[in-house]
Coordinates of all heavy atoms in Angstrom, one line a residue:
M1273 N 102.6 76.3 63.6 CA 103.9 75.9 64.2 C 104.5 74.7 63.5 O 105.4 74.1 64.1 CB 103.7 75.6 65.7 CG 103.3 76.8 66.5 SD 104.5 78.0 66.6 CE 105.7 77.2 67.8
L1274 N 104.0 74.4 62.3 CA 104.6 73.3 61.6 C 106.1 73.6 61.3 O 106.4 74.7 60.8 CB 103.8 73.1 60.3 CG 104.2 71.9 59.4 CD1 103.9 70.6 60.2 CD2 103.4 71.9 58.1
F1275 N 107.0 72.7 61.6 CA 108.4 72.8 61.4 C 109.1 73.9 62.3 O 110.2 74.3 62.1 CB 108.8 73.0 60.0 CG 108.4 71.9 59.1 CD1 107.3 72.1 58.2 CD2 109.0 70.7 59.2 CE1 106.9 71.1 57.4 CE2 108.6 69.6 58.3 CZ 107.6 69.8 57.4
V1276 N 108.3 74.3 63.4 CA 108.9 75.2 64.4 C 109.3 74.3 65.6 O 108.4 73.7 66.1 CB 108.0 76.4 64.8 CG1 108.6 77.2 65.8 CG2 107.6 77.2 63.5
R1277 N 110.5 74.4 66.0 CA 111.0 73.4 67.0 C 111.0 73.8 68.4 O 111.4 73.1 69.3 CB 112.5 73.1 66.6 CG 112.6 72.5 65.3 CD 114.1 72.3 64.9 NE 114.2 71.8 63.6 CZ 115.3 71.7 62.9 NH1 116.4 72.2 63.4 NH2 115.3 71.1 61.7
F1278 N 110.5 75.0 68.7 CA 110.5 75.6 70.1 C 109.2 76.4 70.3 O 108.6 76.8 69.3 CB 111.7 76.4 70.3 CG 112.1 77.3 69.1 CD1 111.5 78.5 69.0 CD2 112.9 76.9 68.1 CE1 111.7 79.3 67.9 CE2 113.2 77.7 67.0 CZ 112.6 78.9 66.9
P1279 N 108.8 76.5 71.5 CA 107.5 77.3 71.8 C 107.7 78.8 71.5 O 108.8 79.3 71.6 CB 107.3 77.0 73.3 CG 108.6 76.6 73.9 CD 109.4 76.0 72.8
L1280 N 106.6 79.4 71.1 CA 106.6 80.8 70.8 C 105.5 81.5 71.5 O 104.4 80.9 71.7 CB 106.4 81.1 69.3 CG 107.5 80.6 68.4 CD1 107.0 80.8 66.9 CD2 108.8 81.2 68.6
D1281 N 105.7 82.7 72.0 CA 104.7 83.6 72.4 C 104.3 84.5 71.2 O 105.2 85.1 70.5 CB 105.1 84.5 73.5 CG 105.2 83.8 74.9 OD1 104.8 82.6 74.9 OD2 105.6 84.4 75.8
V1282 N 103.1 84.5 70.8 CA 102.6 85.3 69.7 C 101.7 86.4 70.1 O 100.8 86.2 70.9 CB 101.9 84.4 68.6 CG1 101.5 85.2 67.4 CG2 102.8 83.2 68.2
L1283 N 102.0 87.6 69.6 CA 101.2 88.8 69.9 C 100.5 89.3 68.6 O 101.2 89.4 67.6 CB 102.0 90.0 70.4 CG 103.0 89.7 71.5 CD1 103.8 91.0 71.8 CD2 102.2 89.3 72.8
W1284 N 99.2 89.5 68.6 CA 98.5 90.1 67.5 C 98.1 91.5 67.9 O 97.5 91.8 68.9 CB 97.2 89.3 67.2 CG 97.4 88.0 66.6 CD1 97.3 87.7 65.3 CD2 97.6 86.7 67.3 NE1 97.5 86.3 65.1 CE2 97.7 85.7 66.3 CE3 97.8 86.4 68.6 CZ2 97.9 84.4 66.6 CZ3 98.0 85.0 68.9 CH2 98.1 84.0 67.9
L1285 N 98.6 92.5 67.1 CA 98.4 93.9 67.4 C 97.6 94.6 66.3 O 97.7 94.3 65.1 CB 99.7 94.6 67.4 CG 100.9 94.1 68.3 CD1 102.1 94.9 68.1 CD2 100.5 94.0 69.7
V1286 N 96.8 95.6 66.7 CA 96.2 96.6 65.8 C 96.6 98.0 66.4 O 96.2 98.3 67.5 CB 94.7 96.4 65.7 CG1 94.0 97.5 64.9 CG2 94.3 95.1 65.1
D1287 N 97.3 98.7 65.5 CA 97.7 100.1 66.0 C 98.4 100.0 67.3 O 98.1 100.9 68.2 CB 96.6 101.0 66.0 CG 95.9 101.3 64.6 OD1 96.7 101.2 63.6 OD2 94.7 101.5 64.5
E1288 N 99.3 99.1 67.5 CA 100.2 98.9 68.7 C 99.4 98.4 69.9 O 100.0 98.3 71.0 CB 100.9 100.2 69.0 CG 101.9 100.7 68.0 CD 102.7 101.9 68.4 OE1 102.3 102.6 69.3 OE2 103.7 102.2 67.7
E1289 N 98.1 98.2 69.8 CA 97.3 97.6 70.9 C 97.2 96.1 70.8 O 96.8 95.6 69.7 CB 95.9 98.2 71.0 CG 95.1 97.7 72.2 CD 93.7 98.3 72.3 OE1 93.6 99.5 71.9 OE2 92.8 97.6 72.7
V1290 N 97.6 95.4 71.8 CA 97.5 94.0 71.8 C 96.1 93.5 71.8 O 95.2 93.9 72.6 CB 98.2 93.4 73.1 CG1 98.1 91.9 73.1 CG2 99.7 93.8 73.1
Q1291 N 95.8 92.7 70.7 CA 94.4 92.1 70.6 C 94.3 90.7 71.2 O 93.3 90.4 71.7 CB 94.1 92.0 69.1 CG 94.1 93.4 68.3 CD 93.2 94.4 68.9 OE1 92.0 94.2 69.0 NE2 93.7 95.5 69.4
A1292 N 95.5 90.0 71.1 CA 95.5 88.6 71.6 C 96.9 88.2 71.9 O 97.9 88.7 71.2 CB 94.9 87.6 70.6
V1293 N 97.1 87.4 72.9 CA 98.4 86.8 73.2 C 98.3 85.3 73.4 O 97.3 84.9 74.1 CB 99.0 87.4 74.5 CG1 100.3 86.8 74.9 CG2 99.0 88.9 74.5
E1294 N 99.2 84.5 72.8 CA 99.1 83.1 73.0 C 100.4 82.5 73.0 O 101.3 82.9 72.2 CB 98.2 82.5 71.9 CG 97.8 81.1 72.2 CD 96.6 80.6 71.3 OE1 95.9 81.4 70.7 OE2 96.5 79.4 71.2

Side-chain angles (χ1 to χ4, degrees):
M1273 295 293 287
L1274 188 63
F1275 299 109
V1276 178
R1277 300 174 179 168
F1278 41 85
L1280 295 176
D1281 284 355
V1282 180
L1283 309 176
W1284 287 265
L1285 310 177
V1286 173
D1287 296 329
E1288 298 183 345
E1289 182 179 327
V1290 177
Q1291 304 299 303
V1293 181
E1294 193 166 342

